[in-house]
Amino acid sequence: MTTSDGLRGAAARMPVTRRPVERIKEMIAEGELSPGDRLPTERELSAAFGVSRSSLREAVRTLTTLGVLEVRHGAGVYVTGLRPGDLLETFSVLAEISQGDTLIEVLQVRRMLEPAATALAAARATDEQLRRIGAILERMAEGGGEREAVAADLTFHQAIVQTTGNATLAAINDGLSSRTFNARVWSGHREAGQTARLRDDHQRIYQALLARDPDAARAAATMHVMEVERWLRCDLDREKGDRPDGTEQAPRPEPA
Amino acid sequence: MTTSDGLRGAAARMPVTRRPVERIKEMIAEGELSPGDRLPTERELSAAFGVSRSSLREAVRTLTTLGVLEVRHGAGVYVTGLRPGDLLETFSVLAEISQGDTLIEVLQVRRMLEPAATALAAARATDEQLRRIGAILERMAEGGGEREAVAADLTFHQAIVQTTGNATLAAINDGLSSRTFNARVWSGHREAGQTARLRDDHQRIYQALLARDPDAARAAATMHVMEVERWLRCDLDREKGDRPDGTEQAPRPEPA
DNA sequence: CACGTAGAAGAGATCAGACCACTTACCCGA
DNA sequence: TCGGGTAAGTGGTCTGATCTCTTCTACGTG
C-alpha cells in the first residue's frame, strides 16, 4: 500500500499536507495562478487534492505564513501581490527573537546594505521624496516618548531605502530593522549625549541626500550603523559580565 | 466600527490560532523556551491554550514554517536552534516565485552584499577555508552537466560567504541565490564565451582571496554580479519583446 | 425610483473525536 | 549480555458538525 499509487517518484513519499503546498507554489511559478487570483473554496481544494480539509488548511496556513496566499474570512483564499514585501514579511522574526551575537551579525549586514542604499537614494531621490524625509526628521526633533522616537527612527530609514526604488532591498532592510529590534537597541540609550549624537547622524545623512552626494551619503550611513553597533555591543557586554570598567566598548573592529 | 488593530489590553479580538503563536514566540524571546527544548504534546498544549488541537496544529505549522519550531513525527515538537539559517529558510520562496523586475532587484541587493562579503572573506579566510574553496573551483573546471555546474557555482559562492563567519549574512545570501533562481539565470547561457567568462570571474575572485586582498576581492565580486545581472537583463528583454537588435544589453547603469 | 436594511447563502474558523503512522523505550527470550 | 519484538506515546490525517464573518439579494420605506 505504500508507493503503489501512480504518483511520480517526486511526490511519492511526501507528507500529505505538503502536496498542496508544492502544487500551489508550482502553479504560481508557472503562471497558472496570478497575483490577486481567487482560489477555489477550501472544501473544493481539499477534494481536488484528495486530502482532508484539515490538511488542506494546514497547507494554506503554510503558504499564508510565507506570504504567498492571503485568507479573507468569509470571502475566500487569494494569491497575494507576490511583491517582495509580501514574501519577506517573515523576515522580521529574525530580529524579533534573535539574541546576542546574531544581533551583531544583523547589524553587520545592515552595514553592508544601508550605506549602498543611502548612496543610491542620494543619486535618485526626487524633490518630493526629499521633502518627505525632511518632514520625518522634523517630527523626530519634536521629541515625544521613547516609543515615538523608535517609530520615527524606523520610518526615517525606511523612507530612505524606499527612495532607492528597490522593493526587495526595502523589504530586507525593514526585516533587519524591525520595531522590536530597534526597541531593544535603544533601551537604556536615551541619555543626552547619545540622543544628540543620533540627531547629528540623521542630519548628516539628510544633508548628503539634499546635496545628492552619494559618497557623503554612504559615509554618513556607515557612521550611523557603526554607532548603533557600538551601542549594541555595549549593551551585550553589560548583560554578559557586569564589568564596571568601560573599556572594550568596540571589541574586534572589522579587519577590512 | 471596531478598531481592528487596536490590540489594547490583552489579546482581545485575536484569532484563536494566533494566540499560541504569539505566546510561544514570546516565551522564546523571554528565554522561557530555549533552542532544542521540547514542548509539551499537542494535546497538552491545546488544552493549556484552551484551543482545539486543530487550531493548535495550525499555530505550530506557522511556527514551523517560520523556522522557530521543528516537528518530529512520533517524537514531539522542539524549538529549533534559532540560528539565522533556521529562521531565514523561508527566504528562498522569493527567488523561487519572483519574476521579471524583482529578479533584477534581487541581483542589485546581491551587488551590495557580495562585494562586501567577499572583501571580508579575503581579510578573514583561513588556509583551510581557502583550500576548500579551491577544491570547489577544481570540481567546476571538470565540467559535468548543467545541473552540476549550477550547483557548483552555488557552492562556490556559499563557501565564500560562510568564510566571513557571519551566519546571518550567509543565510540571506543563500536565499538570494537559491538553486531555482540560478537555474533560471543560467538557462540558455551555456555558450562558450559566457562559460569562459564565468570561469575567469571565479578565478579572479579566488586569486584575490588567496592574496588576502579585500579591495581586489570586492572588485572581482562586483564584476561577477554585474555580469550575471547583464545575462539576466538579456534574458528578460528576450522574453518581453523579441527585438533582434542586440542593443541595450545593460540599460540604466547605476548612477552612483 | 433611490436607498438602506435585513435576511439568506456561501466561505473560512473552530471544535470534537476517531484512527493511522512513526518513534521510543521497555521487556523478554536466546 | 545482547537482540528483537512489542506496546505506549506522539504527531499525522480524516470526518463532519457548528460558529462567525462576508457578500449579495430582495424587500420595504421614503
Side-chain angles (χ1 to χ4, degrees):
Chain A
M1 286 306 170
T2 49
T3 60
S4 60
D5 46 9
L7 290 179
R8 301 172 294 279
R13 275 271 130 243
M14 189 182 280
V16 175
T17 301
R18 195 172 148 186
R19 203 163 51 207
V21 173
E22 297 303 326
R23 180 72 189 112
I24 290 174
K25 277 204 293 189
E26 194 180 309
M27 287 176 71
I28 290 176
E30 305 290 336
E32 300 173 49
L33 281 175
S34 300
D37 280 359
R38 182 186 162 175
L39 276 66
T41 70
E42 291 183 348
R43 290 161 175 91
E44 287 171 330
L45 279 175
S46 62
F49 284 116
V51 305
S52 74
R53 209 182 141 204
S54 325
S55 300
L56 190 271
R57 272 184 62 79
E58 293 199 22
V60 170
R61 172 75 61 180
T62 299
L63 291 167
T64 301
T65 304
L66 290 173
V68 173
L69 296 183
E70 176 189 3
V71 175
R72 302 181 203 160
H73 190 174
V77 182
Y78 296 80
V79 180
T80 69
L82 299 180
R83 306 166 66 81
D86 298 321
L87 302 176
L88 295 179
E89 208 165 334
T90 70
F91 212 68
S92 53
V93 287
L94 179 73
E96 234 174 280
I97 69 178
S98 290
Q99 295 168 352
D101 291 341
T102 299
L103 293 181
I104 297 288
E105 290 188 359
V106 167
L107 274 176
Q108 284 186 340
V109 175
R110 281 181 58 182
R111 186 164 150 190
M112 296 176 183
L113 286 181
E114 286 198 27
T118 309
L120 199 52
R124 289 188 180 170
T126 66
D127 291 340
E128 169 56 26
Q129 288 170 322
L130 289 177
R131 205 171 309 128
R132 194 170 149 246
I133 294 173
I136 296 170
L137 264 190
E138 283 175 23
R139 201 188 326 149
M140 291 178 73
E142 291 170 6
E146 174 165 328
R147 194 174 309 275
E148 287 77 12
V150 172
D153 178 74
L154 205 58
T155 310
F156 175 69
H157 289 287
Q158 284 178 354
I160 292 175
V161 175
Q162 275 175 14
T163 300
T164 65
N166 186 326
T168 302
L169 175 61
I172 292 175
N173 203 74
D174 282 4
L176 295 178
S177 3
S178 81
R179 180 159 295 120
T180 310
F181 174 77
N182 271 334
R184 211 176 323 177
V185 173
W186 280 51
S187 66
H189 285 288
R190 298 287 296 162
E191 301 95 50
Q194 277 148 340
T195 305
R197 171 69 194 259
L198 186 79
R199 201 174 51 228
D200 281 356
D201 280 359
H202 287 162
Q203 269 300 330
R204 274 191 251 180
I205 293 173
Y206 180 53
Q207 292 303 329
L209 291 179
L210 276 183
R212 302 187 197 279
D213 184 337
D215 286 333
R218 184 189 308 272
T222 304
M223 295 305 297
H224 179 55
V225 178
M226 285 179 67
E227 178 70 10
V228 175
E229 183 178 339
R230 205 169 62 80
W231 293 355
L232 179 61
R233 282 210 145 94
C234 199
D235 251 21
L236 293 180
D237 281 352
R238 197 185 308 166
E239 281 178 15
K240 207 176 297 176
D242 248 40
R243 294 192 303 262
D245 59 317
T247 55
E248 209 178 347
Q249 280 194 343
R252 196 178 61 176
E254 186 190 358
Chain B
M1 281 309 219
T2 56
T3 62
S4 57
D5 51 356
L7 201 58
R8 59 187 170 280
R13 275 268 136 244
M14 189 182 281
V16 175
T17 301
R18 194 171 151 186
R19 203 162 52 206
V21 173
E22 297 303 326
R23 180 74 189 111
I24 291 174
K25 277 204 294 189
E26 193 180 309
M27 288 175 72
I28 290 175
E30 304 291 336
E32 300 173 49
L33 281 175
S34 300
D37 280 359
R38 183 186 160 177
L39 275 66
T41 71
E42 290 184 348
R43 289 161 177 90
E44 288 171 330
L45 279 175
S46 62
F49 285 116
V51 305
S52 73
R53 203 182 146 206
S54 321
S55 299
L56 179 98
R57 273 184 61 80
E58 293 199 23
V60 170
R61 171 76 60 181
T62 298
L63 291 167
T64 302
T65 304
L66 291 173
V68 173
L69 295 183
E70 177 189 2
V71 174
R72 302 180 203 161
H73 189 173
V77 182
Y78 296 79
V79 180
T80 68
L82 298 180
R83 306 165 66 81
D86 298 320
L87 302 176
L88 296 180
E89 209 165 333
T90 70
F91 211 67
S92 52
V93 287
L94 179 73
E96 230 173 284
I97 69 179
S98 290
Q99 296 169 351
D101 291 341
T102 300
L103 293 180
I104 297 287
E105 290 188 359
V106 167
L107 273 177
Q108 284 186 341
V109 175
R110 280 181 60 182
R111 186 163 149 190
M112 296 177 182
L113 285 181
E114 285 199 28
T118 309
L120 200 53
R124 289 188 181 170
T126 66
D127 291 340
E128 169 56 28
Q129 288 170 323
L130 289 177
R131 205 171 309 129
R132 195 171 147 245
I133 294 173
I136 295 169
L137 263 189
E138 283 175 23
R139 202 189 324 150
M140 291 179 72
E142 291 171 7
E146 174 165 329
R147 196 173 307 275
E148 287 77 12
V150 172
D153 178 74
L154 205 57
T155 310
F156 176 69
H157 290 287
Q158 284 177 354
I160 292 175
V161 175
Q162 275 175 15
T163 301
T164 64
N166 186 326
T168 303
L169 174 62
I172 292 175
N173 202 75
D174 283 4
L176 295 179
S177 3
S178 82
R179 179 158 296 118
T180 310
F181 174 76
N182 271 334
R184 210 174 324 176
V185 173
W186 280 50
S187 66
H189 286 287
R190 298 285 296 161
E191 300 96 50
Q194 277 149 338
T195 306
R197 171 70 193 259
L198 186 78
R199 201 174 51 228
D200 281 356
D201 280 359
H202 287 161
Q203 269 300 330
R204 275 191 250 180
I205 292 173
Y206 180 53
Q207 292 303 329
L209 291 179
L210 277 183
R212 301 186 199 279
D213 183 339
D215 286 333
R218 182 189 310 273
T222 304
M223 295 305 297
H224 179 56
V225 178
M226 285 178 67
E227 178 70 10
V228 176
E229 183 179 338
R230 204 170 62 80
W231 292 355
L232 179 60
R233 281 212 144 93
C234 200
D235 250 21
L236 291 181
D237 281 351
R238 195 184 309 165
E239 279 178 18
K240 208 175 298 177
D242 249 38
R243 293 193 304 261
D245 58 318
T247 53
E248 208 178 349
Q249 280 195 343
R252 197 178 60 176
E254 186 191 358

